[in-house]
Amino acid sequence: MDILRNWLDNSLPDVVARLEQSISSGYHIERDESISSSARNEIFRILDTLHSVLFPGRYGLHCPNQGEDLHFFLHTSLLEAASLLKRHIGNIVAHHEGEEQLEERVSGVISTLFGDIPEIRAQLISDIATAFDADPAAKSYDEIVLSYPFIEAITTHRIAHCLYRQDVPIIPRIMSERAHSRTGIDIHPGASIAPGFFIDHGTGVVIGETCTIGRNVKIYQGVTLGALSPFDRDGTPKRGIKRHPDIQDDVIIYSNATILGGKTVIGKGSIIGGNTWIVRSVAPGSVIYNKE
């Protein structure tokens, strides 16, 4: 202990001084609750509340009965979410965009999200139905909702995507990265995904920001829908352009397939075999596989 005490007495002041210099002159977390870890935890709370509204009795602690109990549960849950969203979206928008017309901006974001909640639920029911029809191991909708990781990933994505479309900073990415860490499925909140989407197993799936996915698309573990190259010839990251592929309706993509590029289109009804590498468009109805 004397050795440690001597080190602390003699060397710790230098460590503190160097840290202080780095924080003062370079990147640091400002004294702003909008981008703190505690704010992130409250964003997770918002996400959990919205999950419970979308699937009452399956997510959350309370299982409401139909009628007045359900009405009260939905009403109070959305009021709670609105209060938290107002604070955190307000803080983060003010931090990144300034406070001009802040109330109108925040109110518009929340009202748009809540207005979309019934449609988001309808899309999720379509996703669950596709999973049930596509997976012979599924015994019920409840089994899918409670145990299939893609449900948490796609539910989170559909919420985060609504916020992303409205240019809300940071919060959509915090939401999507929680789903990524919990499910192994990495869907950027910018990706556009139509109803009837199903990811079987899910681990290692990556779907990039500018990807669009049509109706009734099924993909398996390890699939990457990514950018052909995230950099230009000078090594500068490409921003604001289409970088990821388009997947049209009724496509099946099997495990560990990699599909890259913003000009790449997988035509309607195509089947993409496992372990394939695709950087060019595929005509509708194609069957692509690796020859042995």
Side-chain angles (χ1 to χ4, degrees), residues 37-133:
S37 60
S38 61
R40 181 185 61 190
N41 291 336
E42 288 214 333
I43 291 166
F44 294 163
R45 180 179 165 191
I46 293 166
L47 199 51
D48 288 336
T49 300
L50 294 177
H51 278 231
S52 71
V53 166
L54 289 162
F55 297 109
R58 297 300 177 265
Y59 284 88
L61 299 176
H62 182 57
C63 183
N65 297 316
Q66 292 189 29
E68 291 184 6
D69 191 24
L70 177 60
H71 178 86
F72 179 78
F73 169 77
L74 295 174
H75 190 80
T76 55
S77 296
L78 288 172
L79 283 178
E80 177 188 1
S83 177
L84 292 172
L85 281 165
K86 181 179 180 181
R87 179 164 79 249
H88 291 292
I89 292 176
N91 286 341
I92 212 159
V93 167
H95 177 77
H96 285 268
E97 302 174 11
E99 297 190 2
E100 185 177 353
Q101 297 183 324
L102 182 62
E103 183 176 353
E104 292 86 346
R105 171 88 161 100
V106 173
S107 298
V109 169
I110 296 172
S111 60
T112 297
L113 174 61
F114 281 15
D116 283 357
I117 288 289
E119 176 59 25
I120 289 173
R121 177 172 161 82
Q123 292 175 337
L124 292 169
I125 295 301
S126 178
D127 299 332
I128 295 165
T130 297
F132 184 78
D133 292 341

Side-chain angles (χ1 to χ4, degrees), residues 2 5 10 16-18 112 124 137 150 156 167 201 229 235 238 247 266 268 284 289 292:
D2 290 341
R5 172 52 61 188
N10 295 320
V16 170
R18 285 186 286 136
T112 297
L124 292 169
F150 101 95
T156 299
D167 296 321
H201 307 297
S229 173
K238 297 176 181 177
I247 312 299
I266 305 301
K268 180 177 179 178
Y289 61 93
E292 295 183 357

